[in-house]
Amino acid sequence: MLCIGLAVGLLPTISAAQALGLSPAHDRPRWLTAWSPLDWDLDLTRRLPAASLLIPGYRTHIGAFWTAGNPAALARDVDSSHTEFALAWSRQRGDYRRPLDPGGTRLVRLQGESWRSIQPRFSLIGRIVADREELDPGTASDETEPYSSSPFVTLDTSLAAVRRTRVRLEGAGGWQLGSWGLGLTLGLEDRDHQTNESGLTRRLHGATAGVVLGASRRLGSFGLGVFGRYRNRNETIRLTEVTEQGRVYQLEGFRDALPIDFITAYYRRIQEVSTAAGASLSGALAGGVVAASAEVRRLTEKMTVQEQNNPLEDTWRVTGWAAGLSWRRFVSTTWSIESSLSGEGFNGKADAAFDSTGVFYVAHGSVASAQVELHFDSGDWEAAAGLGFRHESWDGADTSPDVSARLSSTSPGVQLLAGRQLGAVRIILSGAMLFYGPNSRIPDPSSRGQAYQRFIAPALDLYALAAHPGALAARVEWSVSGGSTLWTVLRFENLSPRAAALTPFSPTGTRRATALELGITLGK
């Protein structure tokens, strides 16, 4: 059947996707992004709590390539052909947000992806994404991702509308040479951000390149593999005063950031290098198929405001790990069960260039999740139900002065799906709810400075407030000649607090998102 909807969009999205609304990098099921050389996130970027839904229209894939991202298993894991093109539109707005989130966003995205076995021993997969995002009202942040775990964040006081353009190309090839497998994954992304109309012009250009190399060996019914990842990211921020005086804040952890007034221009460059090494295992277990992986990671991020040789650099260094396990079994021709466990963690240290104290900020965090899903598909009818659990913790502390915060949350989730085939048309409805329960310790904002109260305190308060984000989605598929399928997905999401404000700086209101996707899946 074309749509085992929850096999793809159930708890992988509840437990892993924390991006309200359609987000190219975060609203995809895990098995569709694990192989990407660009998407792996050592820094455990903090996102809005969300019960995101996505129903792509094909079964979940489990294997060393799909689960662990090892390209050496591509030729063995790709046992079908798939080609899909989609056009997506989304809108998100509302007052319940963090200070560096935009007041509203509109996104248009065009995407195509395909995988197939070229020969019995050789397979390919590729993806192209092009999108245009409008932030209006805009955000004070000058960076692509202001809520990574890095304590260094650049922002200015201009809230002008911003236009973001992104193009991404990525693909992988895998060869099976007897009992050995070899694979290579390459990816490149280019970003351009600039204000639409503003007295203070903001321009950002970013480029990210990534590569993954892998090797595997067949040992009986199991495949054992190793792989290595490398990613390089560069961002250049330029602010130019036109008719409005420029004021910049360079946040450094919980320190009281002083405003920097500049005349004519401001410059900041970010250079990041990430590496990882891991192992994967896949095969048959307990009447089903299983895949597991584990890896160690390292990241170094350097930032400078000097356009010269050998500039002074702020430095953020991180070490981390990740592990995962997925298992699926078909208990009959109509029933199947899936389960997965995953975990990630990191430790980071920051050193400011113009500070002689050395390491002034440390942070560590972890995420653990588990989910189980039950699926039914008789051809004419389908249904699915799933339960998930996610625990997150993040600790950050300034060593001088001694200020710290702990963000911890436990979030169970539930999702239901029902679908019906009516001739050439198939209709699928689904709903999800996440129960975000925090247990956090945050500094008293009344004892901190103005920059902290304005740009940091509201975000910490949001993570310390209970919330029950929900989502609804409907998918309609129409089978056409040649075995192809036209489809559309309409999705609604909502986020609002379920507790009284902690301080006068706590955000209030709601945050809502609407997304519409139109696509075609070519005959298989």
Side-chain angles (χ1 to χ4, degrees), residues 437-522:
N439 180 19
S440 303
R441 183 188 71 249
I442 56 180
D444 179 6
S446 63
S447 62
R448 311 299 301 158
Q450 183 180 14
Y452 178 94
Q453 294 174 354
R454 183 178 177 183
F455 300 117
I456 299 177
L460 296 181
D461 283 3
L462 185 148
Y463 287 118
L465 290 173
H468 297 164
L472 296 172
R475 178 181 176 109
V476 179
E477 301 176 349
W478 178 34
S479 298
V480 295
S481 60
S484 297
T485 302
L486 298 174
W487 53 266
T488 182
V489 176
L490 180 62
R491 188 171 77 228
F492 301 96
E493 299 182 55
N494 182 80
L495 173 64
S496 58
R498 290 293 183 268
L502 297 175
T503 72
F505 308 100
S506 299
T508 57
T510 60
R511 189 77 170 173
R512 292 188 175 92
T514 304
L516 174 66
E517 291 185 84
L518 304 172
I520 180 171
T521 302
L522 301 184

Side-chain angles (χ1 to χ4, degrees), residues 211-249:
V211 60
V212 184
L213 292 170
S216 66
R217 176 73 187 275
R218 197 71 181 175
L219 301 173
S221 62
F222 281 87
L224 178 64
V226 294
F227 57 90
R229 306 182 196 267
Y230 173 85
R231 184 181 65 192
N232 184 289
R233 180 177 70 91
N234 294 275
E235 286 189 2
T236 300
I237 301 167
R238 293 185 183 274
L239 305 178
T240 305
E241 181 182 317
V242 181
T243 61
E244 177 184 340
Q245 183 175 351
R247 170 166 286 190
V248 170
Y249 287 88

Side-chain angles (χ1 to χ4, degrees), residues 141-146 154 162-166 189-195 201-208 233-240 266 268-270:
S141 172
D142 296 315
E143 300 182 16
T144 300
E145 184 51 75
T154 303
V162 175
R163 181 176 65 251
R164 294 179 170 181
T165 304
R166 181 184 77 138
E189 180 178 282
D190 188 80
R191 286 180 173 270
D192 183 74
H193 302 181
Q194 64 179 23
T195 50
T201 301
R202 179 193 301 169
R203 286 190 171 88
L204 177 144
H205 183 263
T208 304
R233 180 177 70 91
N234 294 275
E235 286 189 2
T236 300
I237 301 167
R238 293 185 183 274
L239 305 178
T240 305
Y266 170 88
R268 186 149 173 98
R269 181 168 177 81
I270 303 170

Side-chain angles (χ1 to χ4, degrees), residues 199-316:
L200 178 64
T201 301
R202 179 193 301 169
R203 286 190 171 88
L204 177 144
H205 183 263
T208 304
V211 60
V212 184
L213 292 170
S216 66
R217 176 73 187 275
R218 197 71 181 175
L219 301 173
S221 62
F222 281 87
L224 178 64
V226 294
F227 57 90
R229 306 182 196 267
Y230 173 85
R231 184 181 65 192
N232 184 289
R233 180 177 70 91
N234 294 275
E235 286 189 2
T236 300
I237 301 167
R238 293 185 183 274
L239 305 178
T240 305
E241 181 182 317
V242 181
T243 61
E244 177 184 340
Q245 183 175 351
R247 170 166 286 190
V248 170
Y249 287 88
Q250 293 179 180
L251 300 184
E252 298 179 350
F254 300 121
R255 291 180 172 183
D256 291 328
L258 297 177
I260 302 173
D261 293 318
F262 66 90
I263 300 175
T264 306
Y266 170 88
Y267 168 88
R268 186 149 173 98
R269 181 168 177 81
I270 303 170
Q271 295 179 294
E272 177 188 289
V273 174
S274 303
T275 56
S280 62
L281 179 70
S282 62
L285 180 68
V289 58
V290 66
S293 65
E295 60 186 90
V296 292
R297 299 169 170 177
R298 183 179 297 272
L299 175 149
T300 300
E301 184 180 78
K302 296 183 177 182
M303 292 137 284
T304 181
V305 294
Q306 297 173 315
E307 293 186 89
Q308 63 183 46
N309 293 329
N310 301 316
L312 295 176
E313 296 172 324
D314 298 329
T315 305
W316 170 240

Side-chain angles (χ1 to χ4, degrees), residues 6 9-11 14-15 51-53 372 384-389 411-417 430-435 469-471:
L6 282 198
L10 185 61
L11 292 213
I14 286 183
S15 63
S52 299
L53 282 174
V372 60
L387 297 174
F389 175 86
S411 304
V414 61
Q415 187 170 16
L416 301 173
L417 175 145
S430 59
M433 178 71 75
L434 186 76
F435 301 90

